[in-house]
Amino acid sequence: MKSISLVILLNLIIVNSLFAQEREKTPIGGRPDIKGDLFLELGFNTLNNKPSELNTEFFKSRSFNVYYQYPINIFGVKSGFSFNPGIGIASDKFAFERGNNLFNNPEVGPNSSELLAVSEVYGDDIVLGVNNVGLNFLEVPLEFRYHFNKNNYDKSVRVAIGGKVGYLFQAQTKIAFSDSDGLERKIKDRQAFGFNQFRYGVHARLGFPGFNLWGYYGLNEVFQKNKGPFNTQATQFNFGVSIALF
């Protein structure tokens, strides 16, 4: 999380530096007059086309994304259409059912994973707490928007379709448990786990002033071929809500 926070902070500094001259004093509760959108996205994620062993716990499998997108008017200033490229950080967590998690598969090699019960690795007498896989991406979202209020895009209902390309810069498992003697352990294991280093997919957004509903469907497989558990060809689906900070 330290590396994610640093990248987010750098993004915010860059955005503020680029558009400081466009900032105007606004009333309390108003949005700063910076061209573009800074989105905080909250949501859930799941895997498609997977064996039942890779089922995830819904409420513990979450997404948190931060994106800045810059508007480029197309077909004229008041056409209602815009192209919005951007950049940001995406963070996904997967919590597998039945106390399972990913571990390196020695039969395949260092860049691989298999699904095992945590108790099988650390002992049957443990009490399991936190147990998830975290993936952190640097992403470039690209979307086309149509604004129904052609005179004021900021106060308009809008629909958007587009795509995202992401680069995986960190993957890790996080496990916390206590044993029969009361010893508490927290283990973070950072390695490749056979995940694809790049991901790409399509996304859609239904937007209201300051509030959006969004969905993302991955077009490539989450794991590299024959590197993930059960040689899965699972893809990813995310959805949630977002808040526009400006």
mmCIF file with all atom_site columns, all heavy atoms in Angstrom, residues 181-197:
data_model
loop_
_atom_site.group_PDB
_atom_site.id
_atom_site.type_symbol
_atom_site.label_atom_id
_atom_site.label_alt_id
_atom_site.label_comp_id
_atom_site.label_asym_id
_atom_site.label_entity_id
_atom_site.label_seq_id
_atom_site.pdbx_PDB_ins_code
_atom_site.Cartn_x
_atom_site.Cartn_y
_atom_site.Cartn_z
_atom_site.occupancy
_atom_site.B_iso_or_equiv
_atom_site.pdbx_formal_charge
_atom_site.auth_seq_id
_atom_site.auth_comp_id
_atom_site.auth_asym_id
_atom_site.auth_atom_id
_atom_site.pdbx_PDB_model_num
ATOM 1   N N   . ASP A 1 181 ? -1.253 -21.637 20.264  1.00 0.00 ? 181 ASP A N   1
ATOM 2   C CA  . ASP A 1 181 ? -0.543 -21.016 21.386  1.00 0.00 ? 181 ASP A CA  1
ATOM 3   C C   . ASP A 1 181 ? -0.814 -19.519 21.492  1.00 0.00 ? 181 ASP A C   1
ATOM 4   O O   . ASP A 1 181 ? -0.238 -18.836 22.341  1.00 0.00 ? 181 ASP A O   1
ATOM 5   C CB  . ASP A 1 181 ? 0.969  -21.244 21.241  1.00 0.00 ? 181 ASP A CB  1
ATOM 6   C CG  . ASP A 1 181 ? 1.331  -22.724 21.312  1.00 0.00 ? 181 ASP A CG  1
ATOM 7   O OD1 . ASP A 1 181 ? 0.683  -23.442 22.103  1.00 0.00 ? 181 ASP A OD1 1
ATOM 8   O OD2 . ASP A 1 181 ? 2.240  -23.144 20.566  1.00 0.00 ? 181 ASP A OD2 1
ATOM 9   N N   . GLY A 1 182 ? -1.644 -19.002 20.595  1.00 0.00 ? 182 GLY A N   1
ATOM 10  C CA  . GLY A 1 182 ? -1.961 -17.578 20.627  1.00 0.00 ? 182 GLY A CA  1
ATOM 11  C C   . GLY A 1 182 ? -0.976 -16.706 19.865  1.00 0.00 ? 182 GLY A C   1
ATOM 12  O O   . GLY A 1 182 ? -1.079 -15.474 19.906  1.00 0.00 ? 182 GLY A O   1
ATOM 13  N N   . LEU A 1 183 ? -0.011 -17.325 19.179  1.00 0.00 ? 183 LEU A N   1
ATOM 14  C CA  . LEU A 1 183 ? 0.946  -16.556 18.391  1.00 0.00 ? 183 LEU A CA  1
ATOM 15  C C   . LEU A 1 183 ? 0.259  -16.021 17.134  1.00 0.00 ? 183 LEU A C   1
ATOM 16  O O   . LEU A 1 183 ? -0.326 -16.775 16.362  1.00 0.00 ? 183 LEU A O   1
ATOM 17  C CB  . LEU A 1 183 ? 2.132  -17.441 17.988  1.00 0.00 ? 183 LEU A CB  1
ATOM 18  C CG  . LEU A 1 183 ? 3.180  -16.789 17.071  1.00 0.00 ? 183 LEU A CG  1
ATOM 19  C CD1 . LEU A 1 183 ? 3.858  -15.618 17.770  1.00 0.00 ? 183 LEU A CD1 1
ATOM 20  C CD2 . LEU A 1 183 ? 4.194  -17.819 16.605  1.00 0.00 ? 183 LEU A CD2 1
ATOM 21  N N   . GLU A 1 184 ? 0.321  -14.716 16.939  1.00 0.00 ? 184 GLU A N   1
ATOM 22  C CA  . GLU A 1 184 ? -0.293 -14.092 15.777  1.00 0.00 ? 184 GLU A CA  1
ATOM 23  C C   . GLU A 1 184 ? 0.765  -13.855 14.701  1.00 0.00 ? 184 GLU A C   1
ATOM 24  O O   . GLU A 1 184 ? 1.840  -13.327 14.988  1.00 0.00 ? 184 GLU A O   1
ATOM 25  C CB  . GLU A 1 184 ? -0.965 -12.776 16.163  1.00 0.00 ? 184 GLU A CB  1
ATOM 26  C CG  . GLU A 1 184 ? -2.136 -12.960 17.116  1.00 0.00 ? 184 GLU A CG  1
ATOM 27  C CD  . GLU A 1 184 ? -2.881 -11.660 17.382  1.00 0.00 ? 184 GLU A CD  1
ATOM 28  O OE1 . GLU A 1 184 ? -2.428 -10.606 16.884  1.00 0.00 ? 184 GLU A OE1 1
ATOM 29  O OE2 . GLU A 1 184 ? -3.909 -11.704 18.088  1.00 0.00 ? 184 GLU A OE2 1
ATOM 30  N N   . ARG A 1 185 ? 0.436  -14.224 13.467  1.00 0.00 ? 185 ARG A N   1
ATOM 31  C CA  . ARG A 1 185 ? 1.384  -14.067 12.360  1.00 0.00 ? 185 ARG A CA  1
ATOM 32  C C   . ARG A 1 185 ? 0.703  -13.340 11.204  1.00 0.00 ? 185 ARG A C   1
ATOM 33  O O   . ARG A 1 185 ? -0.486 -13.553 10.915  1.00 0.00 ? 185 ARG A O   1
ATOM 34  C CB  . ARG A 1 185 ? 1.888  -15.429 11.877  1.00 0.00 ? 185 ARG A CB  1
ATOM 35  C CG  . ARG A 1 185 ? 2.678  -16.195 12.907  1.00 0.00 ? 185 ARG A CG  1
ATOM 36  C CD  . ARG A 1 185 ? 3.240  -17.463 12.300  1.00 0.00 ? 185 ARG A CD  1
ATOM 37  N NE  . ARG A 1 185 ? 4.153  -17.188 11.198  1.00 0.00 ? 185 ARG A NE  1
ATOM 38  C CZ  . ARG A 1 185 ? 4.688  -18.132 10.422  1.00 0.00 ? 185 ARG A CZ  1
ATOM 39  N NH1 . ARG A 1 185 ? 4.384  -19.401 10.626  1.00 0.00 ? 185 ARG A NH1 1
ATOM 40  N NH2 . ARG A 1 185 ? 5.502  -17.803 9.433   1.00 0.00 ? 185 ARG A NH2 1
ATOM 41  N N   . LYS A 1 186 ? 1.446  -12.463 10.552  1.00 0.00 ? 186 LYS A N   1
ATOM 42  C CA  . LYS A 1 186 ? 0.997  -11.778 9.347   1.00 0.00 ? 186 LYS A CA  1
ATOM 43  C C   . LYS A 1 186 ? 2.044  -11.994 8.269   1.00 0.00 ? 186 LYS A C   1
ATOM 44  O O   . LYS A 1 186 ? 3.214  -11.666 8.459   1.00 0.00 ? 186 LYS A O   1
ATOM 45  C CB  . LYS A 1 186 ? 0.803  -10.282 9.598   1.00 0.00 ? 186 LYS A CB  1
ATOM 46  C CG  . LYS A 1 186 ? -0.302 -9.969  10.598  1.00 0.00 ? 186 LYS A CG  1
ATOM 47  C CD  . LYS A 1 186 ? -0.466 -8.460  10.810  1.00 0.00 ? 186 LYS A CD  1
ATOM 48  C CE  . LYS A 1 186 ? -1.571 -8.171  11.812  1.00 0.00 ? 186 LYS A CE  1
ATOM 49  N NZ  . LYS A 1 186 ? -1.722 -6.702  12.046  1.00 0.00 ? 186 LYS A NZ  1
ATOM 50  N N   . ILE A 1 187 ? 1.609  -12.565 7.166   1.00 0.00 ? 187 ILE A N   1
ATOM 51  C CA  . ILE A 1 187 ? 2.555  -12.949 6.110   1.00 0.00 ? 187 ILE A CA  1
ATOM 52  C C   . ILE A 1 187 ? 2.153  -12.299 4.794   1.00 0.00 ? 187 ILE A C   1
ATOM 53  O O   . ILE A 1 187 ? 1.020  -12.456 4.334   1.00 0.00 ? 187 ILE A O   1
ATOM 54  C CB  . ILE A 1 187 ? 2.581  -14.488 5.939   1.00 0.00 ? 187 ILE A CB  1
ATOM 55  C CG1 . ILE A 1 187 ? 2.981  -15.149 7.256   1.00 0.00 ? 187 ILE A CG1 1
ATOM 56  C CG2 . ILE A 1 187 ? 3.535  -14.885 4.807   1.00 0.00 ? 187 ILE A CG2 1
ATOM 57  C CD1 . ILE A 1 187 ? 2.781  -16.639 7.271   1.00 0.00 ? 187 ILE A CD1 1
ATOM 58  N N   . LYS A 1 188 ? 3.075  -11.547 4.191   1.00 0.00 ? 188 LYS A N   1
ATOM 59  C CA  . LYS A 1 188 ? 2.885  -10.975 2.863   1.00 0.00 ? 188 LYS A CA  1
ATOM 60  C C   . LYS A 1 188 ? 3.897  -11.610 1.924   1.00 0.00 ? 188 LYS A C   1
ATOM 61  O O   . LYS A 1 188 ? 5.099  -11.594 2.195   1.00 0.00 ? 188 LYS A O   1
ATOM 62  C CB  . LYS A 1 188 ? 3.071  -9.459  2.878   1.00 0.00 ? 188 LYS A CB  1
ATOM 63  C CG  . LYS A 1 188 ? 2.005  -8.706  3.661   1.00 0.00 ? 188 LYS A CG  1
ATOM 64  C CD  . LYS A 1 188 ? 2.237  -7.200  3.583   1.00 0.00 ? 188 LYS A CD  1
ATOM 65  C CE  . LYS A 1 188 ? 1.181  -6.444  4.374   1.00 0.00 ? 188 LYS A CE  1
ATOM 66  N NZ  . LYS A 1 188 ? 1.386  -4.963  4.306   1.00 0.00 ? 188 LYS A NZ  1
ATOM 67  N N   . ASP A 1 189 ? 3.403  -12.166 0.841   1.00 0.00 ? 189 ASP A N   1
ATOM 68  C CA  . ASP A 1 189 ? 4.269  -12.856 -0.115  1.00 0.00 ? 189 ASP A CA  1
ATOM 69  C C   . ASP A 1 189 ? 4.119  -12.194 -1.480  1.00 0.00 ? 189 ASP A C   1
ATOM 70  O O   . ASP A 1 189 ? 3.076  -12.312 -2.128  1.00 0.00 ? 189 ASP A O   1
ATOM 71  C CB  . ASP A 1 189 ? 3.881  -14.334 -0.185  1.00 0.00 ? 189 ASP A CB  1
ATOM 72  C CG  . ASP A 1 189 ? 4.818  -15.136 -1.079  1.00 0.00 ? 189 ASP A CG  1
ATOM 73  O OD1 . ASP A 1 189 ? 5.850  -14.587 -1.510  1.00 0.00 ? 189 ASP A OD1 1
ATOM 74  O OD2 . ASP A 1 189 ? 4.506  -16.313 -1.352  1.00 0.00 ? 189 ASP A OD2 1
ATOM 75  N N   . ARG A 1 190 ? 5.159  -11.473 -1.908  1.00 0.00 ? 190 ARG A N   1
ATOM 76  C CA  . ARG A 1 190 ? 5.131  -10.785 -3.196  1.00 0.00 ? 190 ARG A CA  1
ATOM 77  C C   . ARG A 1 190 ? 5.892  -11.600 -4.231  1.00 0.00 ? 190 ARG A C   1
ATOM 78  O O   . ARG A 1 190 ? 7.093  -11.828 -4.097  1.00 0.00 ? 190 ARG A O   1
ATOM 79  C CB  . ARG A 1 190 ? 5.747  -9.388  -3.075  1.00 0.00 ? 190 ARG A CB  1
ATOM 80  C CG  . ARG A 1 190 ? 4.931  -8.439  -2.222  1.00 0.00 ? 190 ARG A CG  1
ATOM 81  C CD  . ARG A 1 190 ? 5.554  -7.055  -2.157  1.00 0.00 ? 190 ARG A CD  1
ATOM 82  N NE  . ARG A 1 190 ? 4.749  -6.169  -1.329  1.00 0.00 ? 190 ARG A NE  1
ATOM 83  C CZ  . ARG A 1 190 ? 5.091  -4.918  -1.014  1.00 0.00 ? 190 ARG A CZ  1
ATOM 84  N NH1 . ARG A 1 190 ? 6.242  -4.428  -1.454  1.00 0.00 ? 190 ARG A NH1 1
ATOM 85  N NH2 . ARG A 1 190 ? 4.298  -4.180  -0.263  1.00 0.00 ? 190 ARG A NH2 1
ATOM 86  N N   . GLN A 1 191 ? 5.173  -12.040 -5.247  1.00 0.00 ? 191 GLN A N   1
ATOM 87  C CA  . GLN A 1 191 ? 5.770  -12.753 -6.370  1.00 0.00 ? 191 GLN A CA  1
ATOM 88  C C   . GLN A 1 191 ? 4.787  -12.711 -7.540  1.00 0.00 ? 191 GLN A C   1
ATOM 89  O O   . GLN A 1 191 ? 3.674  -12.180 -7.418  1.00 0.00 ? 191 GLN A O   1
ATOM 90  C CB  . GLN A 1 191 ? 6.113  -14.190 -5.982  1.00 0.00 ? 191 GLN A CB  1
ATOM 91  C CG  . GLN A 1 191 ? 4.938  -14.994 -5.443  1.00 0.00 ? 191 GLN A CG  1
ATOM 92  C CD  . GLN A 1 191 ? 5.326  -16.448 -5.230  1.00 0.00 ? 191 GLN A CD  1
ATOM 93  O OE1 . GLN A 1 191 ? 5.660  -17.142 -6.195  1.00 0.00 ? 191 GLN A OE1 1
ATOM 94  N NE2 . GLN A 1 191 ? 5.278  -16.915 -3.982  1.00 0.00 ? 191 GLN A NE2 1
ATOM 95  N N   . ALA A 1 192 ? 5.185  -13.270 -8.667  1.00 0.00 ? 192 ALA A N   1
ATOM 96  C CA  . ALA A 1 192 ? 4.381  -13.133 -9.889  1.00 0.00 ? 192 ALA A CA  1
ATOM 97  C C   . ALA A 1 192 ? 3.111  -13.979 -9.868  1.00 0.00 ? 192 ALA A C   1
ATOM 98  O O   . ALA A 1 192 ? 2.093  -13.604 -10.449 1.00 0.00 ? 192 ALA A O   1
ATOM 99  C CB  . ALA A 1 192 ? 5.225  -13.480 -11.116 1.00 0.00 ? 192 ALA A CB  1
ATOM 100 N N   . PHE A 1 193 ? 3.159  -15.172 -9.263  1.00 0.00 ? 193 PHE A N   1
ATOM 101 C CA  . PHE A 1 193 ? 2.015  -16.082 -9.154  1.00 0.00 ? 193 PHE A CA  1
ATOM 102 C C   . PHE A 1 193 ? 1.419  -16.488 -10.513 1.00 0.00 ? 193 PHE A C   1
ATOM 103 O O   . PHE A 1 193 ? 0.298  -16.973 -10.572 1.00 0.00 ? 193 PHE A O   1
ATOM 104 C CB  . PHE A 1 193 ? 0.905  -15.485 -8.296  1.00 0.00 ? 193 PHE A CB  1
ATOM 105 C CG  . PHE A 1 193 ? 1.250  -15.390 -6.838  1.00 0.00 ? 193 PHE A CG  1
ATOM 106 C CD1 . PHE A 1 193 ? 1.469  -14.160 -6.250  1.00 0.00 ? 193 PHE A CD1 1
ATOM 107 C CD2 . PHE A 1 193 ? 1.367  -16.526 -6.062  1.00 0.00 ? 193 PHE A CD2 1
ATOM 108 C CE1 . PHE A 1 193 ? 1.789  -14.069 -4.901  1.00 0.00 ? 193 PHE A CE1 1
ATOM 109 C CE2 . PHE A 1 193 ? 1.681  -16.449 -4.710  1.00 0.00 ? 193 PHE A CE2 1
ATOM 110 C CZ  . PHE A 1 193 ? 1.903  -15.201 -4.132  1.00 0.00 ? 193 PHE A CZ  1
ATOM 111 N N   . GLY A 1 194 ? 2.127  -16.247 -11.598 1.00 0.00 ? 194 GLY A N   1
ATOM 112 C CA  . GLY A 1 194 ? 1.623  -16.633 -12.916 1.00 0.00 ? 194 GLY A CA  1
ATOM 113 C C   . GLY A 1 194 ? 0.627  -15.662 -13.519 1.00 0.00 ? 194 GLY A C   1
ATOM 114 O O   . GLY A 1 194 ? 0.042  -15.948 -14.578 1.00 0.00 ? 194 GLY A O   1
ATOM 115 N N   . PHE A 1 195 ? 0.400  -14.502 -12.887 1.00 0.00 ? 195 PHE A N   1
ATOM 116 C CA  . PHE A 1 195 ? -0.539 -13.530 -13.441 1.00 0.00 ? 195 PHE A CA  1
ATOM 117 C C   . PHE A 1 195 ? 0.003  -12.925 -14.731 1.00 0.00 ? 195 PHE A C   1
ATOM 118 O O   . PHE A 1 195 ? 1.220  -12.741 -14.890 1.00 0.00 ? 195 PHE A O   1
ATOM 119 C CB  . PHE A 1 195 ? -0.791 -12.397 -12.442 1.00 0.00 ? 195 PHE A CB  1
ATOM 120 C CG  . PHE A 1 195 ? -1.645 -12.787 -11.276 1.00 0.00 ? 195 PHE A CG  1
ATOM 121 C CD1 . PHE A 1 195 ? -1.091 -12.947 -10.007 1.00 0.00 ? 195 PHE A CD1 1
ATOM 122 C CD2 . PHE A 1 195 ? -3.007 -13.004 -11.435 1.00 0.00 ? 195 PHE A CD2 1
ATOM 123 C CE1 . PHE A 1 195 ? -1.877 -13.304 -8.928  1.00 0.00 ? 195 PHE A CE1 1
ATOM 124 C CE2 . PHE A 1 195 ? -3.804 -13.368 -10.365 1.00 0.00 ? 195 PHE A CE2 1
ATOM 125 C CZ  . PHE A 1 195 ? -3.234 -13.522 -9.112  1.00 0.00 ? 195 PHE A CZ  1
ATOM 126 N N   . ASN A 1 196 ? -0.903 -12.586 -15.639 1.00 0.00 ? 196 ASN A N   1
ATOM 127 C CA  . ASN A 1 196 ? -0.509 -11.838 -16.826 1.00 0.00 ? 196 ASN A CA  1
ATOM 128 C C   . ASN A 1 196 ? -0.039 -10.449 -16.411 1.00 0.00 ? 196 ASN A C   1
ATOM 129 O O   . ASN A 1 196 ? -0.699 -9.786  -15.612 1.00 0.00 ? 196 ASN A O   1
ATOM 130 C CB  . ASN A 1 196 ? -1.683 -11.713 -17.798 1.00 0.00 ? 196 ASN A CB  1
ATOM 131 C CG  . ASN A 1 196 ? -1.642 -12.767 -18.884 1.00 0.00 ? 196 ASN A CG  1
ATOM 132 O OD1 . ASN A 1 196 ? -0.580 -13.062 -19.428 1.00 0.00 ? 196 ASN A OD1 1
ATOM 133 N ND2 . ASN A 1 196 ? -2.790 -13.358 -19.193 1.00 0.00 ? 196 ASN A ND2 1
ATOM 134 N N   . GLN A 1 197 ? 1.085  -10.007 -16.971 1.00 0.00 ? 197 GLN A N   1
ATOM 135 C CA  . GLN A 1 197 ? 1.624  -8.700  -16.585 1.00 0.00 ? 197 GLN A CA  1
ATOM 136 C C   . GLN A 1 197 ? 0.814  -7.554  -17.179 1.00 0.00 ? 197 GLN A C   1
ATOM 137 O O   . GLN A 1 197 ? 0.796  -6.457  -16.628 1.00 0.00 ? 197 GLN A O   1
ATOM 138 C CB  . GLN A 1 197 ? 3.083  -8.587  -17.016 1.00 0.00 ? 197 GLN A CB  1
ATOM 139 C CG  . GLN A 1 197 ? 3.821  -7.453  -16.335 1.00 0.00 ? 197 GLN A CG  1
ATOM 140 C CD  . GLN A 1 197 ? 5.320  -7.574  -16.484 1.00 0.00 ? 197 GLN A CD  1
ATOM 141 O OE1 . GLN A 1 197 ? 5.826  -8.214  -17.398 1.00 0.00 ? 197 GLN A OE1 1
ATOM 142 N NE2 . GLN A 1 197 ? 6.057  -6.960  -15.579 1.00 0.00 ? 197 GLN A NE2 1
#
